[in-house]
Amino acid sequence: MKQLANYSITLFLTALISLTGCITTVAQSGDFSDYDFRYHTYDETVTMLNELAEEYPQLVELYSIGKTATGQREMWMIEITNKDTGPASQKPGAYFDGNQHDNEVMGGEVATFLPYYFLSQYGEDEEITRLLDSRVLYILPLANPDGAEAYITGEVDWDPMDIDNADRLYGPGENGDDGPEDLDGDGEILKMRVENPDGDWKTYDADPRIMVRREEGDSTGTFYDLYDEGIDNDDDGEINNDPPHTRFITNRNYPGHWSSDDGQYRGAGDYPLDELNSRNIVEFIVHRPNIAMIESYHTTSGVHLRPFSARPTEDLPRKDLQDYTAILGMGTEITTYPQASIYHEFTTIDPDLTPEEQPGTRHGVFVDWGYLHHGIFSTTTELWTMEDFVNEVGWGEIPRDKPLFAIPGRYRRPDVQAKVLQWLDEHEGDPKLSGQKYVDWKTYEHPSLGEVELGGFTKYWLRNPPPGPYFKKVAVDQAEFAKRRGLLTPLVKIRDVEVERKGQNTWSVRAQIVNEGYLDTSMEQARFIGRAKPVELSLDSGNSDEHSTHEFPFLRGTRGSGFESFYYGEWEVEAPAGKEVTIKLWSKKGGEDEMSVVLK
């Protein structure tokens, strides 16, 4: 039978550890000189994962979690843990993914670097060794492999109409065969501008390289039509009007806050999880209840984001908000990225409207689902930022009001882009840029439009960093934070078992247990929605029906304070001397442990 334990808690001072975390900083042991910090195709990424699986068989399992939406590729998951210390299912898990959006390819590259980072330093870096011995990492480098491949290579290798939901994605009678292409063979798909007195675009006064929307009433000056570089592939008289759909995960198709209460505002798709890629991810996580932490890498803005996306901060339970603030603060120390609420700092809020009425909120977001529905510590990191470059040349009179990090509110603004161009002008030819830059407008003879101009930012600059040193810094910083946060997951342990003889064949067995991790064995949100499971402490003497299982609502984490909370369970055992009994400890998010003792 099970009973709620009348447990006592002893606070024990084990060490004075910095409030910023219970992890002692270990110097970086590798320079990663043999890692190629550039953008990889799907085949290159899969080859790297297979090579790691072959090189580290005792630490790695590599498997597909399903086909992608196009059916062309597998979604490869790499599972990393020391198999000698127990199966993955019995350890606390941390999940990482990248490239949920097709063009946010740096997210995929960080998630691809993580396995190499952890495996290449196992046995050398004390923290990484401890992490892989005690926890399991689930890493999905490419959540949208088809979209990432199209962005990196500029090519689409699937039939647009031969995919799930083709009619919804393309519309009846459309087949996605008129997308942009590299006309002049320079390896970049830039912007294309064509003079037109009725055009919707004009040059920016402060820097004519930048294009801005024509304002109502503008009647003097030169106006343009603006396109992505390309031609009219389907001869319908329009350029790039039917590009192939590549956003097979929109990060708006998850069940969390998918719709406002009245249904006026909602996420992507006809219903939550009608996108195959997002469904594969959700099914994977649901079937691994040991996952205690989720991180999804996106770009751009250089910020660590926490839930909610569609609700204000005051809706988060107080203790969970404190944990988010503390842990993402550790991330700031490592990556320099600030932390922010998606709703408050990443969204334009109308103060006169309720949260339900806000038209700018994001619905159906992955981290909302992970935290809201399952009580998992879930975050998103937006990688890469122009902030440092503009800081270097100075913001001048540019206002820096909220939303500070939202892309439409910052990096698409012409005044900010003018500052970025100033920085690029001052660093022209710098090898750290790997040839990435702003291409000044140049004339080109278009097959149907006649003389046009091509120009704009190259692929790896505004949204994703250039290959090389900038790329490496982003990847290594994020890997360092991934290491630290992985060690913050709950970890339950049996510290001691005492046996006291009460009679000739009667014994008292008392176990002391603890949660060594930073976080509690369940978040407050998980307890609030009923997703948390009590921690179970049981005794097996060969006839387990004789003994009760003690249940603890949750075990407190250390919070980096240096204090541990001790919990106890006690049993009366009838058995002869010399009998071995086993104490077993189970936690949904904190793993499992057991200890055997001989009655004597």
Side-chain angles (χ1 to χ4, degrees):
M1 69 176 181
K2 294 183 177 181
Q3 66 180 31
L4 187 63
N6 293 317
Y7 54 89
S8 61
I9 304 175
T10 302
L11 296 180
F12 180 71
L13 183 61
T14 56
L16 289 175
I17 303 176
S18 169
L19 186 60
T20 59
C22 56
I23 311 303
T24 303
T25 301
V26 175
Q28 180 61 58
S29 60
D31 63 2
F32 311 114
S33 58
D34 54 347
Y35 190 87
D36 195 0
F37 289 98
R38 64 172 176 83
Y39 294 93
H40 298 86
T41 65
Y42 173 82
D43 286 342
E44 289 172 333
T45 299
V46 174
T47 296
M48 286 193 291
L49 296 177
N50 276 291
E51 289 174 349
L52 290 172
E54 292 175 5
E55 186 174 355
Y56 301 97
Q58 200 52 38
L59 298 173
V60 170
E61 289 291 333
L62 181 63
Y63 47 86
S64 171
I65 66 170
K67 289 277 190 183
T68 62
T70 69
Q72 294 292 100
R73 294 175 174 85
E74 304 285 348
M75 296 174 67
W76 288 104
M77 179 72 66
I78 184 166
E79 177 185 297
I80 306 176
T81 190
N82 182 357
K83 300 174 186 178
D84 287 339
T85 59
S89 61
Q90 295 180 7
K91 298 174 180 176
Y95 167 94
F96 302 86
D97 74 26
N99 237 139
Q100 289 215 22
H101 293 312
D102 56 344
N103 58 1
E104 299 188 358
V105 289
M106 188 60 201
E109 292 298 339
V110 166
T112 299
F113 174 67
L114 287 184
Y116 172 88
Y117 170 86
F118 288 117
L119 294 167
S120 65
Q121 295 186 98
Y122 179 80
E124 298 180 7
D125 184 299
E126 176 189 341
E127 291 179 344
I128 288 177
T129 304
R130 178 154 50 95
L131 176 63
L132 301 192
D133 284 348
S134 60
R135 275 89 165 177
V136 56
L137 306 179
Y138 302 104
I139 303 173
L140 180 67
L142 297 173
N144 181 358
D146 300 307
E149 186 77 353
Y151 186 80
I152 289 172
T153 66
E155 299 176 358
V156 170
D157 59 1
W158 63 85
D159 182 346
M161 297 307 291
D162 189 26
I163 57 175
D164 290 344
N165 297 321
D167 286 343
R168 176 171 68 82
L169 297 175
Y170 295 101
E174 298 180 349
N175 58 9
D177 60 2
D178 186 14
E181 52 258 307
D182 176 17
L183 296 181
D184 59 356
D186 66 352
E188 297 286 346
I189 296 177
L190 303 172
K191 293 295 182 182
M192 185 168 66
R193 69 184 186 186
V194 187
E195 287 193 29
N196 178 2
D198 296 321
D200 293 329
W201 296 84
K202 64 179 182 178
T203 59
Y204 180 52
D205 289 341
D207 191 323
R209 292 174 291 183
I210 298 171
M211 304 299 294
V212 296
R213 285 280 184 182
R214 181 179 186 172
E215 297 177 3
E216 186 176 355
D218 277 350
S219 58
T220 59
T222 304
F223 302 103
Y224 299 85
D225 292 327
L226 192 67
Y227 309 89
D228 288 329
E229 186 177 346
I231 60 174
D232 178 11
N233 298 94
D234 54 5
D235 297 321
D236 66 353
E238 297 186 48
I239 297 203
N240 300 335
N241 68 312
D242 185 22
H245 180 86
T246 59
R247 301 184 74 82
F248 297 107
I249 290 184
T250 61
N251 196 25
R252 304 292 185 271
N253 188 234
Y254 295 95
H257 291 142
W258 184 76
S259 170
S260 58
D261 288 345
D262 61 6
Q264 182 177 2
Y265 304 112
R266 66 182 198 175
D270 296 324
Y271 53 88
L273 302 183
D274 72 341
E275 294 183 355
L276 182 59
N277 294 33
S278 56
R279 194 183 321 147
N280 288 340
I281 291 172
V282 164
E283 289 180 353
F284 176 84
I285 293 173
V286 166
H287 286 94
R288 283 155 185 83
N290 60 317
I291 292 176
M293 190 171 284
I294 287 174
E295 168 69 288
S296 189
Y297 295 114
H298 290 240
T299 70
T300 311
S301 292
V303 61
H304 299 292
L305 296 174
R306 56 172 165 78
F308 289 118
S309 302
R311 302 295 304 177
T313 292
E314 50 263 32
D315 283 7
L316 267 74
R318 181 181 58 84
K319 179 60 71 175
D320 290 354
L321 179 58
Q322 290 173 350
D323 287 337
Y324 270 112
T325 302
I327 291 175
L328 294 186
M330 300 176 200
T332 301
E333 293 177 0
I334 295 170
T335 68
T336 73
Y337 293 176
Q339 62 173 292
S341 156
I342 300 173
Y343 178 85
H344 290 285
E345 279 84 27
F346 220 64
T347 308
T348 300
I349 300 296
D350 185 335
D352 296 326
L353 299 177
T354 67
E356 278 295 314
E357 297 170 322
Q358 297 291 343
T361 54
R362 294 161 170 82
H363 291 273
V365 173
F366 180 46
V367 296
D368 273 12
W369 169 77
Y371 175 70
L372 179 70
H373 287 205
H374 294 271
I376 300 172
F377 186 97
S378 304
T379 58
T380 286
T381 298
E382 297 282 348
L383 307 166
W384 186 235
T385 174
M386 300 289 101
E387 201 87 354
D388 294 339
F389 304 105
V390 182
N391 285 342
E392 187 176 318
V393 296
W395 287 85
E397 299 300 318
I398 299 176
R400 303 184 70 190
D401 52 353
K402 290 183 179 180
L404 290 177
F405 312 107
I407 295 169
R410 176 57 62 88
Y411 302 123
R412 289 179 182 169
R413 278 174 29 184
D415 50 359
V416 175
Q417 289 197 5
K419 288 290 187 178
V420 172
L421 285 178
Q422 179 185 340
W423 187 92
L424 284 171
D425 290 343
E426 293 176 4
H427 293 79
E428 185 176 1
D430 188 333
K432 290 190 295 185
L433 295 177
S434 302
Q436 298 296 306
K437 58 184 179 180
Y438 187 95
V439 177
D440 291 340
W441 295 97
K442 56 186 178 182
T443 58
Y444 178 81
E445 192 65 28
H446 193 275
S448 61
L449 298 176
E451 186 176 287
V452 302
E453 291 180 280
L454 303 178
F457 288 99
T458 55
K459 184 184 300 183
Y460 302 122
W461 181 245
L462 278 181
R463 185 172 286 272
N464 301 279
Y470 290 114
F471 183 121
K472 178 178 180 179
K473 177 170 175 50
V474 171
V476 174
D477 284 353
Q478 295 301 323
E480 285 285 302
F481 183 34
K483 173 178 68 174
R484 175 174 289 196
R485 64 184 290 164
L487 284 166
L488 300 177
T489 52
L491 183 67
V492 298
K493 289 292 181 183
I494 301 171
R495 276 291 173 82
D496 188 34
V497 177
E498 297 176 349
V499 176
E500 181 181 354
R501 191 165 200 158
K502 296 293 188 179
Q504 182 176 358
N505 291 318
T506 305
W507 314 83
S508 173
V509 180
R510 187 172 189 257
Q512 180 192 71
I513 62 173
V514 67
N515 172 15
E516 295 180 350
Y518 180 98
L519 289 170
D520 295 342
T521 53
S522 59
M523 298 195 76
E524 198 172 346
Q525 171 69 10
R527 300 193 289 274
F528 174 73
I529 62 176
R531 298 291 299 186
K533 297 291 185 183
V535 176
E536 296 182 358
L537 180 65
S538 61
L539 181 145
D540 183 3
S541 63
N543 187 2
S544 58
D545 291 339
E546 295 179 357
H547 310 292
S548 61
T549 294
H550 297 293
E551 289 188 345
F552 306 84
F554 67 96
L555 303 190
R556 297 184 186 279
T558 67
R559 297 303 192 293
S561 65
F563 289 91
E564 291 180 331
S565 300
F566 290 156
Y567 301 75
Y568 296 88
E570 191 168 352
W571 303 265
E572 294 293 327
V573 179
E574 294 285 342
K579 174 73 173 179
E580 183 178 81
V581 298
T582 301
I583 311 300
K584 297 182 178 180
L585 178 61
W586 176 89
S587 167
K588 180 179 178 181
K589 302 294 185 189
E592 301 180 28
D593 195 22
E594 66 176 51
M595 182 181 295
S596 297
V597 295
V598 176
L599 302 177
K600 61 180 181 179

